[in-house]
Amino acid sequence: MSAPQVLLGTTLPDVDVWSPRVTVALGQNPSLFTGPGTNTYLVGTGRDRILLDTGQGIPAYLPVLAQALERAGCGIQEIVLTHGHFDHIGGAAAVIDRYGALRVSKRPHTKFDEPWPVAITPIGDGDVVRTDGATLRAMHTPGHAEDHLCYVLEEERAIFSGDNVLGVGTTVIPSEGGDLLDYMSSLERMRAEEPTAIYPAHGPVIRDGRAKIREYIEHRIQREQEILAALRADLHGIPEIVARVYAAYPVALHMPARASVCSHLLKLEREGRVRRSGDAPLEAHWALA
Ligand SMILES: [Zn+2]
C-alpha cells in the first residue's frame, strides 16, 4: 500500500527489463493504494529465477507473468515475498496452481499469512536466497509492516525495497502494524547499504537509490519539524495540526493526512518528546513533553 495522492495516472508497461538480472512484471491492480499496480520481479540470469512478490491475485496477472517468463526465457525457481500485505502475497496461490509447488519464503506474520492458502518457509534478517546470477540478502525493515523484508541484490548493490521506498508517492505508515520510529530506523539501515538502484513494489525503477532514501528521510524530518511547530503554536488536536501543516494541500487530502500526522506523534511519544491526554491517538490532546 502506498499513499494515494500522486499515484493515479501513473502508467507502466506490463513487462519491462530493468537490468540484466531484473525483469519486472506488473500486477495491474491500479487503485488508490497500489498506484499503477504491484511490481513483481523475476530475478537472476538462469533457466529458473526467483519471483519476488506476486501481486494481489487478480486473474489478469497470470498472462502478464507468462509474458515476462517468455521475455526472460526462464521458469520460476521459487517465490520470495517482501511482506504479507494482500497486494504482495495475494497472487502466490494462483502462481503455485499454475506453475507447481514452489517454495514461498517470507518473514512469518500470523495475522497477515493466515488468510492465504500458502505454506510459508520462514526467512529473516540476513538470510540469503540464491539463484544463477543473483544473490538476495534479506533485511528486516519494519515500519510500514512488521514483517517487511527488503532484499539487497548483492551483484548490483541494488535494493528491492518493497513498500518502504516507492517509485511514486510516499509510504503509508498504517495505524495497524505501522510504526514511524521503526520505519525511520529501517530507512537508515537501507541508507547504510549505499544502494545504487532501488526496485520498488510500486512505480518505476529508482536509479539513484541513495538520493531517494535521503529525500525520504529529509521529508519525514521536515514534517516532524512542522508538527512540533504546530504544537508550539498551541494546536493540540490532530485536525487542527493537519489544517496548518497541510494548508497548501487540497482539503480532500486532509483526512488521509491525519493518519500520517498521528504516526509522527506516536513516534515522538515513544521518544518522550510529546505526551497525550486521551487514549485514542487520533482524538487525543497532544502537547510537548
Ligand atoms: Zn504494504
Side-chain angles (χ1 to χ4, degrees), residues 1 83 85 87-88 144-145 148 163 202:
M1 294 187 289
H83 62 301
H85 283 161
D87 54 325
H88 302 258
H144 167 75
H148 197 285
D163 281 355
H202 305 284

Side-chain angles (χ1 to χ4, degrees), residues 62 92-101:
L62 284 180
V95 172
I96 287 168
D97 274 353
R98 170 72 180 75
Y99 293 97

Side-chain angles (χ1 to χ4, degrees), residues 12-204:
L12 293 168
D14 283 344
V15 175
D16 210 350
V17 176
W18 284 351
S19 94
R21 295 177 186 79
V22 177
T23 300
V24 59
L26 180 61
Q28 292 279 6
N29 52 335
S31 78
L32 285 177
F33 290 108
T34 59
T38 304
N39 297 331
T40 73
Y41 293 98
L42 293 168
V43 187
T45 57
R47 187 203 291 234
D48 288 324
R49 304 187 188 179
I50 296 166
L51 175 63
L52 193 149
D53 280 345
T54 62
Q56 81 177 58
I58 49 168
Y61 173 65
L62 284 180
V64 172
L65 176 60
Q67 194 189 326
L69 290 165
E70 193 180 311
R71 174 119 172 228
C74 72
I76 303 170
Q77 170 185 306
E78 62 186 295
I79 295 169
V80 303
L81 301 175
T82 55
H83 62 301
H85 283 161
F86 72 97
D87 54 325
H88 302 258
I89 194 174
V95 172
I96 287 168
D97 274 353
R98 170 72 180 75
Y99 293 97
L102 300 162
R103 179 166 58 199
V104 180
S105 302
K106 74 182 284 294
R107 186 180 160 96
H109 186 291
T110 310
K111 195 170 146 225
F112 290 161
D113 302 348
E114 194 262 339
W116 308 102
V118 172
I120 299 296
T121 299
I123 55 170
D125 192 57
D127 287 343
V128 167
V129 183
R130 286 191 178 82
T131 188
D132 283 350
T135 311
L136 292 179
R137 171 166 49 88
M139 280 177 73
H140 184 217
T141 41
H144 167 75
E146 294 155 9
D147 60 339
H148 197 285
L149 296 174
C150 292
Y151 294 92
V152 177
L153 174 55
E154 302 279 15
E155 285 79 0
E156 297 183 3
R157 230 173 71 203
I159 294 182
F160 292 94
S161 60
D163 281 355
N164 269 23
V165 172
L166 303 172
V168 279
T170 54
T171 298
V172 163
I173 308 301
S175 50
E176 241 189 86
D179 186 305
L180 185 58
L181 187 56
D182 287 350
Y183 179 69
M184 296 302 285
S185 308
S186 292
L187 288 179
E188 289 295 348
R189 279 200 73 190
M190 293 171 73
R191 170 147 85 173
E193 294 289 332
E194 304 196 328
T196 53
I198 287 179
Y199 303 115
H202 305 284

Side-chain angles (χ1 to χ4, degrees), residues 207-244:
R207 289 294 172 195
D208 188 344
R210 273 169 284 209
K212 179 60 86 176
I213 293 172
R214 198 181 326 119
E215 183 189 313
Y216 263 51
I217 292 171
E218 283 167 4
H219 166 76
R220 298 283 176 173
I221 291 172
Q222 193 201 331
R223 190 65 83 222
E224 180 173 290
Q225 292 303 323
E226 292 164 359
I227 291 166
L228 289 168
L231 292 172
R232 280 194 293 271
D234 252 348
L235 301 174
H236 300 287
I238 287 179
E240 297 88 74
I241 296 171
V242 166
R244 171 181 160 131

